[in-house]
Amino acid sequence: MPRSLSGRNFLKLLDFTTEEIQYLLELSKDFKRLKRTGTPHKYLSGKNIVLLFEKTSTRTRCSFEVAGNDLGMGVTYLDPASSQMGNKESLEDTAKVLGRMFDGIEYRGFDQNIVEDLGRYAGVPVWNGLTTEFHPTQMLADVLTIEENFGRYKGLKMVFMGDARNNVANSLMVVSAKLGINFVACGPKDNMPDEKLVATCREIAKEHDCTITLTDDVKEGTKNADVIYTDIWVSMGEPAELWEKRIKLLSPYQVNDEVMANANPDAIFLHCLPSFHDLETSVGREIHEKFGLKEMEVTDKVFRSPQSKVFDEAENRMHTIKAVMYATLK
Ligand code: CP
Ligand code: NVA
């Protein structure tokens, strides 16, 4: 059993031991069972949490809200326009005020430093709902989905295709190293995760009998993969002008039939979502008009195939976020 997580922040997975991450995964499974069987679990009734979003969200916000309600807590949502944070009040003051009123604080936004500072000053647990560098709650849902499909995660090969220097790719590399998953970042050479983070992850990976590989070779990278993962090519907070450059750079790393055929026959496809796999979004249509692409990081066919587990993965956001809140607030 890991030491209690009560009172801890959840800012990045580098701060957590393998045992602590495994404990959160076990707890997530328990909460999924309770939810599926309709068993009430208002274990944190009387507590209150606040969700601070400086970027948009569907899954993360709804997961925190539903999980908070299921645990019996009061949930307050603040978007950038409806708080004073950063405009009329410093981050430090905001953290101290919110810490006096709430039992836990979720933050989604920009620099990792912001959420680290919130964690330093709030005096109550702070949870990272995505920063430019990391997306740790997403990782628990991803690994839970992998385990549900293979009955294990240790020793498997997971390949991240595309924008390998973004928050999701960074976090997948960290969680893989901690849990013994062989991780491959497959993308253009000059678009790889930060060298220092790669070195740190390689050190951690050594202790868990797994490897961290960076490659620009799609055939080699995806060969015998168990999990093929991708994410959008331009992340929130990045300028729209980047689309043209990224389309040129990342199109060779699209997840399509060829990629899936090169992976193991029982490989699964994961994506944190949202995804540009058809023309049903305004951004997707705009890109189509400008550059002629109908689908981007993944083809519509792969996205809708039986190998795609993206909606199980999205559901698991809620169960895993519930586990994080419970473990840190109980
Ligand atoms: N995967 C994820 O974080 O989705 P949202 O941006 O909708 O929260
Ligand atoms: N890399 C994406 C992840 C969205 C969940 C972004 O930051 O926009």
Side-chain angles (χ1 to χ4, degrees):
M1 267 295 282
R3 70 191 161 100
S4 168
L5 298 184
S6 181
R8 292 266 300 273
N9 294 322
F10 190 80
L11 307 178
K12 58 185 181 303
L13 287 177
L14 287 170
D15 301 338
F16 289 80
T17 65
T18 299
E19 291 69 30
E20 287 168 342
I21 297 170
Q22 286 167 336
Y23 166 70
L24 288 170
L25 287 167
E26 290 307 310
L27 202 53
S28 305
K29 289 185 221 167
D30 292 342
F31 277 122
K32 189 164 182 173
R33 266 191 299 273
L34 292 177
K35 182 77 173 175
R36 288 276 171 99
T37 54
T39 313
H41 43 281
K42 295 194 181 297
Y43 302 150
L44 297 178
S45 144
K47 293 194 186 279
N48 290 287
I49 60 168
V50 62
L51 314 179
L52 283 176
F53 278 82
E54 296 201 293
K55 288 175 179 168
T56 53
S57 169
T58 298
R59 277 147 293 273
T60 309
R61 174 182 174 180
C62 295
S63 295
F64 272 99
E65 291 212 14
V66 172
N69 289 329
D70 283 353
L71 288 168
M73 297 194 285
V75 181
T76 299
Y77 172 77
L78 289 179
D79 65 31
S82 50
S83 84
Q84 315 278 26
M85 180 167 141
N87 304 317
K88 285 168 66 184
E89 193 157 33
S90 70
L91 181 77
E92 181 177 346
D93 292 357
T94 308
K96 287 176 174 168
V97 170
L98 295 177
R100 295 290 181 103
M101 298 183 190
F102 294 96
D103 299 286
I105 302 171
E106 183 273 359
Y107 172 81
R108 163 170 288 198
F110 296 90
D111 282 11
Q112 181 70 16
N113 287 339
I114 299 176
V115 80
E116 300 276 347
D117 280 348
L118 273 176
R120 192 163 301 126
Y121 297 122
V124 297
V126 172
W127 310 297
N128 178 358
L130 179 148
T131 57
T132 304
E133 292 89 341
F134 293 115
H135 195 6
T137 60
Q138 178 73 49
M139 298 305 111
L140 297 176
D142 298 345
V143 177
L144 181 59
T145 312
I146 292 171
E147 200 183 355
E148 286 172 345
N149 280 276
F150 294 97
R152 66 191 175 106
Y153 43 78
K154 198 170 167 58
L156 297 181
K157 174 175 174 179
M158 169 153 61
V159 186
F160 181 89
M161 303 281 295
D163 187 18
R165 38 143 294 287
N166 78 13
N167 40 19
V168 171
N170 286 342
S171 308
L172 285 170
M173 184 167 67
V174 174
V175 81
S176 296
K178 294 247 175 194
L179 294 181
I181 301 168
N182 297 301
F183 178 76
V184 180
C186 187
K189 273 201 179 77
D190 54 359
N191 207 61
M192 285 294 171
D194 174 63
E195 274 175 31
K196 247 176 88 184
L197 185 63
V198 172
T200 304
C201 289
R202 283 193 167 137
E203 278 305 306
I204 301 170
K206 269 192 220 156
E207 295 165 31
H208 299 282
D209 300 324
C210 62
T211 52
I212 305 292
T213 308
L214 312 183
T215 181
D216 61 354
D217 184 329
V218 175
K219 267 258 171 287
E220 194 46 44
T222 58
K223 202 169 141 194
N224 299 328
D226 299 294
V227 181
I228 301 284
Y229 199 122
T230 191
D231 186 11
I232 49 170
W233 289 341
V234 175
S235 285
M236 290 183 281
E238 293 191 310
E241 295 78 60
L242 270 180
W243 274 113
E244 187 170 4
K245 187 175 157 217
R246 291 278 171 81
I247 286 170
K248 280 198 192 115
L249 196 65
L250 301 178
S251 286
Y253 299 93
Q254 181 193 59
V255 178
N256 50 33
D257 281 350
E258 217 179 307
V259 165
M260 294 309 289
N262 197 42
N264 276 341
D266 63 349
I268 61 169
F269 169 71
L270 296 181
H271 190 312
C272 54
L273 306 181
S275 163
F276 296 121
H277 59 93
D278 58 20
L279 295 178
E280 299 302 315
T281 64
S282 56
V283 174
R285 285 191 291 273
E286 211 179 296
I287 298 289
H288 176 57
E289 273 164 35
K290 275 195 190 154
F291 307 107
L293 265 69
K294 282 199 180 128
E295 42 199 13
M296 285 190 259
E297 73 278 3
V298 55
T299 60
D300 197 45
K301 191 167 167 223
V302 169
F303 188 89
R304 294 178 191 276
S305 72
Q307 283 173 287
S308 172
K309 305 296 173 193
V310 297
F311 296 109
D312 295 332
E313 184 186 5
E315 177 192 330
N316 284 338
R317 297 296 310 286
M318 199 277 287
H319 305 299
T320 47
I321 280 173
K322 193 181 282 179
V324 170
M325 290 200 288
Y326 176 73
T328 53
L329 290 183
K330 75 174 189 305

